[in-house]
Amino acid sequence: MPFDEAMSRFDPVLGLEVHVELGTATKMFCGCPTAFGAAPNTQTCPTCLGLPGSLPVVNRVAVESAIRIGLALNSEIVEWCRFARKNYFYPDMPKDYQISQYDEPIAVGGWLDVAVPTDEGVRTFRVQIERAHMEEDTGKTSHQGGETGRIQGADYSLVDYNRAGIPLIEIVTKPIEGIGALAPAVAKAYVAELRSLVQALGVSDAHMHQGSLRCDVNLSIRPSPDAPLGTRSETKNVNSLRSVERAVRYEVQRQAALLAAGGRVVQETRHWHEDTGLTTPGRSKEQAEDYRYFPEPDLVPVAPSREWVEELRGTLPELPSVRRQRLQAEWGMSDFELQNLVNAGALGVVEATVADGASPAAARNWWLGELSRLANERGVEVAELPIFPADVARIIALVDDGSLTDKLARQVVAGVLAGEGSPDEVIAARGLQVVSDDSALLEAIDAAVAADPDVVEKIRGGKVQAAGVLVGAVMKATRGQADAAKVRTLLLERLGVELSG
Ligand SMILES: [Zn+2]
């Protein structure tokens, strides 16, 4: 069913569970390293493999990160909490259980404001947080020989336990209601804001493509906003912002088509497929196993002292929403202009460019214009381009003082990106200075005038627009390194034509 039609008949309710892998040096309950990309099963030990006789010990830095995330989300940090064993029979945990927090999470309640661009401008929604809890990540299984990469039809399966035991914080929202057709955009904006938040806190690199931040999307629909909540589906491990938005949109459409045809939504987990933009059924919750949670007997409860919590509150950096408000006020930008910078991932580089002396407007134009275009061409984020904000600030300064035209400046950018050095080195090597020496310009103008008497005749006869031909000739003679407006002025002066305006 088309999205618009689905929205005219149903009201969506969202719930988001975001898993953040913490950037600690060691795992949650042992001293194994956590570096990404190591050879399979090289970062394991008896504890994270759950061998008999091994005992887990809680990673203090992970608890600290959990508390800081909770504080940044305006949550209450509990005085006492503990871990539970979540028992299951998947091979991705060698112990046959995962250590998690069940009914006693470390952070409870709270909220996160998210800004969503709409047709009527940027709207802010307050997403209520249910809880944030600590757990350990699971290992990674890969199924070989089948066509789909799933266990069905595979010849054999491989398992890598390097990730098993890496600290995770799971942040769960309360049901997000009253967002209507903005549901896909709200989901995306929430995950983006949470990602900025944990990056600002320095607790995770939050790389979605590497799985260090991933989102489970819960979605249900109902006939009207005052009807009881519908049955929800849970789409697991969505790992890009764009996919979060698409998965919400798809599930709204899928469920609406089902209900409209008189069917019912089954409570189940679903898999997201990036290539097709579809979700497919995973496990059905109705036949899912009981995890038989029970308190983890090998770990003492976590009871953060109030002094420690307050000390950690003091380590919170300026949070992204506060920083954006401050920059917007300092730069005098509209909500829309600022939101564009945020969406383009260019806020940080623009801030640095301004710090290096450029005006906010010029910095914004360069990063959202030419540099975004080049980043798109290369398929990278604008902030990943091999050019420093200081280089961009230098180029802007040279344009401002007339040493470069916009056209030359773009050539300087190209040179810096090609690895030819700093802007000044590129200018020297490529000879890109603007020709501002009047005598050199007049020489080129005289040559152009001498070469084209017919055009000169027209201009003198009143057809001033014909001057473009001669300006073009001068620009060509100076290899584009003259200021075209200045050439035009000098040319008309030379021909004794009155300038109007
Ligand atoms: Zn280990």
Side-chain angles (χ1 to χ4, degrees):
M1 182 183 290
F3 184 75
D4 290 344
E5 189 189 339
M7 290 315 311
S8 69
R9 300 176 62 166
F10 298 99
D11 177 55
V13 179
L14 256 180
L16 299 166
E17 297 172 20
V18 173
H19 289 85
V20 179
E21 252 185 20
L22 297 178
T24 53
T26 57
K27 290 187 179 180
M28 188 77 204
F29 303 113
C30 65
C32 286
T34 55
F36 181 83
N41 296 306
T42 54
Q43 297 177 165
T44 58
C45 72
T47 301
C48 56
L49 291 176
L51 298 183
S54 63
L55 280 176
V57 177
V58 177
N59 182 334
R60 183 183 166 92
V61 178
V63 177
E64 205 171 275
S65 300
I67 294 173
R68 294 175 76 234
I69 289 174
L71 291 172
L73 290 171
N74 311 289
S75 307
E76 180 204 339
I77 306 303
V78 300
E79 296 197 12
W80 189 93
C81 63
R82 62 181 163 177
F83 288 96
R85 284 190 184 180
K86 179 180 178 181
N87 293 275
Y88 64 61
F89 298 103
Y90 295 106
D92 57 10
M93 274 316 256
K95 299 182 290 219
D96 268 1
Y97 61 82
Q98 180 186 17
I99 303 178
S100 180
Q101 291 194 307
Y102 176 45
D103 50 356
E104 295 163 306
I106 188 158
V108 178
W111 43 265
L112 183 65
D113 283 340
V114 301
V116 181
T118 73
D119 294 341
E120 296 91 47
V122 177
R123 281 180 62 188
T124 301
F125 290 91
R126 176 156 293 186
V127 175
Q128 300 292 334
I129 306 294
E130 173 74 34
R131 57 194 250 148
H133 67 253
M134 301 182 279
E135 61 184 30
E136 57 178 339
D137 209 346
T138 60
K140 186 178 164 195
T141 47
S142 52
H143 307 294
Q144 309 290 316
E147 280 175 17
T148 60
R150 305 215 172 273
I151 196 164
Q152 294 81 4
D155 295 328
Y156 61 95
S157 297
L158 297 173
V159 62
D160 176 7
Y161 291 129
N162 282 353
R163 210 178 66 190
I166 288 185
L168 278 186
I169 303 298
E170 180 174 348
I171 299 149
V172 182
T173 66
K174 292 190 167 140
I176 307 170
E177 305 181 57
I179 47 175
L182 290 175
V186 169
K188 179 184 175 188
Y190 170 77
V191 177
E193 186 66 21
L194 200 51
R195 186 177 65 169
S196 306
L197 185 74
V198 297
Q199 284 172 341
L201 290 169
V203 297
S204 172
D205 60 20
H207 286 155
M208 293 190 79
H209 60 282
Q210 290 180 351
S212 49
L213 187 145
R214 47 193 198 260
C215 179
D216 296 346
V217 175
N218 287 283
L219 189 107
S220 65
I221 60 173
R222 53 188 174 184
S224 69
D226 50 10
L229 291 179
T231 304
R232 65 188 165 86
S233 64
E234 180 181 6
T235 305
K236 303 289 280 183
N237 292 333
V238 186
N239 67 352
S240 77
L241 293 178
R242 183 166 166 267
S243 296
V244 168
E245 188 171 27
R246 289 170 76 205
V248 171
R249 178 175 276 267
Y250 176 77
E251 274 300 293
V252 166
Q253 292 174 259
R254 184 185 69 84
Q255 295 185 13
L258 261 178
L259 295 185
R264 70 183 186 103
V265 175
V266 182
Q267 186 174 343
E268 63 188 354
T269 61
R270 297 183 67 86
H271 301 294
W272 166 251
H273 302 275
E274 180 66 48
D275 45 351
T276 56
L278 307 177
T279 65
T280 55
R283 276 175 293 131
S284 157
K285 275 272 162 71
E286 288 165 354
Q287 64 201 41
E289 68 281 49
D290 174 3
Y291 286 124
R292 294 178 296 113
Y293 284 100
F294 63 86
E296 165 61 59
D298 289 343
L299 285 168
V300 294
V302 176
S305 73
R306 296 301 93 180
E307 294 73 32
W308 191 32
V309 170
E310 288 316 308
E311 194 186 310
L312 291 175
R313 196 190 297 279
T315 70
L316 294 185
E318 181 183 35
L319 297 182
S321 56
V322 177
R323 171 170 167 243
R324 285 196 300 271
Q325 279 167 18
R326 173 176 61 77
L327 292 176
Q328 188 178 358
E330 283 174 14
W331 296 348
M333 278 181 193
S334 69
D335 290 351
F336 183 74
E337 287 171 324
L338 192 86
Q339 196 60 41
N340 274 348
L341 280 185
V342 172
N343 292 348
L347 191 66
V349 285
V350 168
E351 185 180 15
T353 307
V354 172
D356 282 318
S359 74
R364 180 175 183 277
N365 282 346
W366 275 95
W367 284 104
L368 283 191
E370 179 72 0
L371 290 162
S372 282
R373 188 182 68 76
L374 293 166
N376 272 343
E377 256 175 39
R378 294 175 171 220
V380 298
E381 298 285 320
V382 71
E384 292 168 0
L385 285 172
I387 186 166
F388 294 114
D391 294 338
V392 178
R394 173 69 181 153
I395 292 167
I396 291 170
L398 291 171
V399 171
D400 285 348
D401 74 11
S403 306
L404 291 175
T405 59
D406 273 1
K407 187 178 165 195
L408 291 176
R410 284 195 290 277
Q411 293 178 42
V412 176
V413 166
V416 174
L417 292 181
E420 294 169 22
S422 70
D424 289 296
E425 286 165 348
V426 172
I427 290 165
R430 292 193 179 193
L432 293 177
Q433 285 283 359
V434 164
V435 177
S436 53
D437 172 4
D438 281 6
S439 64
L441 284 182
L442 286 173
E443 202 173 297
I445 288 169
D446 287 342
V449 165
D452 216 338
D454 292 352
V455 174
V456 170
E457 206 52 47
K458 279 186 194 164
I459 298 170
R460 285 193 164 130
K463 284 197 154 188
V464 179
Q465 66 271 31
V469 177
L470 298 183
V471 172
V474 173
M475 294 304 288
K476 196 173 170 191
T478 55
R479 293 185 302 140
Q481 285 166 240
D483 178 341
K486 186 173 183 186
V487 170
R488 187 182 153 86
T489 307
L490 286 175
L491 171 72
L492 293 177
E493 268 175 26
R494 200 69 163 173
L495 297 179
V497 176
E498 277 289 312
L499 286 172
S500 53

